[in-house]
């Protein structure tokens, strides 16, 4: 089957690598003008209808690796070929106000928030919610872009100018223990499978580490997250992999941050640490194939390679280290690849993660929420 992919970045690259053993072929439609997949047949979309027609003539169905797409384009494609997940998932995920409204409707708790359309309203929201607050553009913005932290309501005017967007969502800060994510996959027949939750460490809004499964995660918390993401999957009649990012508070509760309608950076650990990777399961789902086992083989941590590449030989000298490079040129803040570290125990895994961090020029020192209790023998 020839699968069309909207977007041509590293996620599309990894989808293709997972699909070749299934005899899939891939045609990418890039809408940014800067494709980096380096694999398959890449077409650069320039609003020319004949090019879109050529793309659609080559593919049997369409998916996407990037949700910042023109919704009208995805809707037009849906008129001709099956698109999984649907354009409705993209429409909601592109608009944080729509996304929060969906969470509210489904009873998925979120941090307190307000929608504002002026600097004055932003200042009022900051006073009402209590600083600090984070202000984000309602549309666009990712990896920490399009947002600002206000530590005093008086900073509203400057934040409004810096974000430069006509509508913002203002969120109260959460006293969270850790950031986590749940990834699930839903097939065309409605079958759903859940991956173990991952703990995620971010720096400047960019994911640096994802570790799964967590040694101190209560089964009830996993089940709660499973319930939240199942509600989203069923409400959207979703097909494929969906990611829900959450905050876990000190009392163990989960608050939804945002969702992503695609394979996700926090699921890269599944490539070497799970029975079936998120990429293979996404392809299984959209083709109507049975879903694969989502259980973890062993404790695994994904380490993002950002800005500068380390020494591949030194990284691969770490036992059970798996280096995935994206064939990109170095640039500050750019995701160049990732390393998956696998170990028999969480103690051994933590040693490998810290060793790997020393080998990457721009990797911050990792600090997972469970480390102190683990090293003291309380886990």
């Amino acid at each position: 089957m020839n699968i069309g992919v909207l977007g041509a970045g590293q996620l599309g690259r990894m989808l293709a690598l997972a699909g070749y053993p299934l005899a899939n072929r891939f045609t990418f439609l890039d809408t940014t003008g800067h494709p980096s997949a380096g694999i398959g047949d890449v077409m650069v979309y320039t609003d020319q209808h004949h090019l879109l027609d050529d793309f659609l003539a080559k593919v049997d169905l369409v998916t996407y690796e990037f949700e910042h797409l023109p919704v009208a384009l995805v809707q037009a494609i849906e008129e001709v070929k099956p698109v999984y997940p649907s354009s409705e998932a993209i429409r909601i995920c592109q608009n944080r106000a729509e996304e929060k409204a969906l969470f509210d409707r489904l009873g998925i708790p979120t941090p307190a928030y307000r929608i504002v359309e002026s600097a004055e309203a932003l200042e009022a929201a900051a006073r009402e919610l209590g600083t600090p607050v984070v202000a984000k553009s309602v549309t666009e913005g990712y990896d920490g872009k399009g947002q600002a932290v206000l530590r005093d309501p008086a900073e509203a005017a400057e934040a409004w100018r810096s974000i430069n967007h006509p509508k913002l969502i203002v969120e109260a800060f959460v006293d969270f223990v850790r950031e986590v994510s749940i990834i699930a996959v839903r097939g065309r027949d409605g079958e759903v499978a859940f991956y173990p939750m991952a703990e995620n460490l971010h720096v400047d809004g960019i994911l640096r580490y994802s570790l799964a499964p967590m040694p101190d995660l209560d089964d009830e918390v996993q089940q709660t997250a499973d319930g939240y993401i199942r509600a989203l999957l069923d409400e959207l009649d979703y097909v494929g992999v969906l990611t829900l990012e959450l905050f876990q508070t000190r009392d163990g509760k989960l608050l939804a941050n945002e969702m992503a309608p695609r394979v996700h950076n926090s699921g890269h650990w599944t490539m070497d640490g799970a029975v079936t990777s998120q990429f293979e399961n996404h392809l299984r789902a959209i083709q109507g194939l049975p879903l694969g086992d989502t259980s973890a083989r062993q404790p695994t941590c994904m380490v993002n390679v950002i800005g500068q590449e380390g020494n591949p030989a030194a990284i691969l000298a770490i036992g059970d280290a798996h280096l995935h490079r994206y064939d990109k040129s170095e640039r500050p803040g750019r995701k160049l690849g990732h390393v998956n570290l696998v170990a028999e125990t969480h103690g051994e895994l933590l040693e490998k993660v810290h060793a790997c961090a020393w080998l990457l020029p721009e990797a911050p020192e990792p600090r997972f929420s469970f480390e102190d209790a683990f090293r003291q023998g309380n886990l």
Side-chain angles (χ1 to χ4, degrees):
M1 180 176 288
N2 196 325
I3 297 174
V5 180
L6 303 180
Q10 67 263 19
L11 296 178
R13 176 189 181 92
M14 287 181 272
L15 276 172
L17 291 171
Y20 286 144
L22 297 174
N24 294 145
R25 297 180 304 280
F26 291 84
T27 302
F28 298 92
L29 187 67
D30 172 72
T31 60
T32 68
H34 303 285
S36 63
I39 200 169
D41 183 7
V42 178
M43 305 173 70
V44 178
Y45 181 64
T46 56
D47 291 326
Q48 296 175 8
H49 290 293
H50 69 84
L51 182 64
L52 181 58
D53 291 341
D54 290 346
F55 170 75
L56 293 173
K58 292 182 177 183
V59 304
D60 300 303
L61 58 83
V62 176
T63 188
Y64 44 89
E65 55 110 55
F66 180 69
E67 66 267 37
H68 298 283
L69 297 161
V71 174
L73 171 63
V74 183
Q75 291 171 335
I77 292 172
E78 281 179 320
E79 296 294 322
V80 182
K81 293 289 171 76
V83 178
Y84 303 114
S86 70
S87 62
E88 180 65 3
I90 284 184
R91 187 189 70 80
I92 290 175
C93 288
Q94 281 187 0
N95 189 306
R96 290 186 171 97
E98 293 271 3
E99 184 179 68
K100 295 290 188 186
L102 176 61
F103 291 162
D104 290 344
R105 189 164 72 249
L106 296 177
I108 300 171
T110 68
Y113 70 93
R114 301 288 186 272
I115 306 297
V116 302
E117 298 184 24
S118 68
E120 293 75 18
L122 174 57
E123 181 176 351
R127 293 188 186 282
E128 184 178 356
L129 293 172
T131 52
V133 295
V134 59
K136 304 176 184 177
S137 58
V138 165
T139 60
E140 305 169 341
Y142 59 96
D143 281 349
K145 302 178 180 68
Q147 60 183 262
V149 175
L150 283 73
R151 304 194 181 281
D152 187 288
E155 298 171 1
E158 176 58 29
W160 180 265
R161 284 193 297 271
S162 67
I163 298 174
N164 190 29
H165 195 276
K167 185 181 290 188
L168 307 182
I169 186 166
V170 189
E171 297 176 342
F173 255 62
V174 177
D175 183 21
F176 62 87
V177 174
R178 58 188 169 192
E179 296 177 81
V180 298
S181 59
I182 174 72
I183 293 177
V185 56
R186 187 175 185 268
R188 281 157 58 169
D189 61 356
E191 178 189 3
V192 177
F194 308 93
Y195 284 95
M197 291 175 68
E199 177 172 353
N200 304 315
L201 303 183
H202 291 81
V203 176
D204 297 329
I206 300 177
L207 181 66
R208 294 291 185 153
Y209 302 91
S210 286
L211 185 148
M214 293 178 275
D216 60 340
L217 184 70
D218 190 284
D219 288 344
E220 290 186 6
V221 176
Q222 175 79 46
Q223 291 166 10
T224 297
D226 290 353
Y228 291 161
I229 199 167
R230 180 187 279 277
L232 291 166
L233 291 165
D234 290 343
E235 176 70 14
L236 296 170
D237 193 20
Y238 194 95
V239 176
V241 163
L242 178 70
T243 306
L244 179 62
E245 297 181 73
L246 308 114
F247 301 111
Q248 186 175 21
T249 59
R250 296 189 184 282
D251 58 4
K253 294 180 180 178
L254 298 174
L255 297 176
N257 180 26
E258 60 186 22
M259 62 180 182
R262 53 173 169 80
V263 289
H264 194 261
N265 200 172
S266 70
H268 289 0
W269 70 269
T270 65
M271 297 172 73
D272 301 290
V275 176
T276 312
S277 77
Q278 63 167 344
F279 299 98
E280 181 180 336
N281 255 337
H282 183 78
L283 294 171
R284 288 186 182 214
I286 66 176
Q287 293 177 87
L289 299 172
L291 302 182
D293 186 349
T294 54
S295 60
R297 294 184 183 275
Q298 288 184 318
T300 305
C301 185
M302 185 279 305
V303 182
N304 261 339
V305 180
I306 307 290
Q308 296 182 58
E309 302 225 38
N311 183 325
I315 292 169
L316 291 173
I318 300 173
D320 221 344
H322 306 269
L323 177 59
H324 301 266
R325 301 172 72 184
Y326 306 155
D327 195 22
K328 289 182 173 182
S329 58
E330 295 183 338
R331 189 176 69 207
R334 193 180 201 190
K335 294 177 182 176
L336 304 176
H338 69 272
V339 183
N340 282 338
L341 302 164
V342 184
E344 293 186 2
T345 68
H346 282 89
E348 181 187 354
L349 180 61
L350 289 175
E351 291 179 1
K352 291 183 179 183
V353 173
H354 286 271
C356 184
W358 277 103
L359 298 173
L360 294 171
E362 296 190 18
E365 184 68 13
R367 187 68 177 173
F368 293 98
S369 63
F370 60 84
E371 282 198 50
D372 285 341
F374 190 88
R375 295 190 189 283
Q376 292 168 9
N378 296 326
L379 289 178

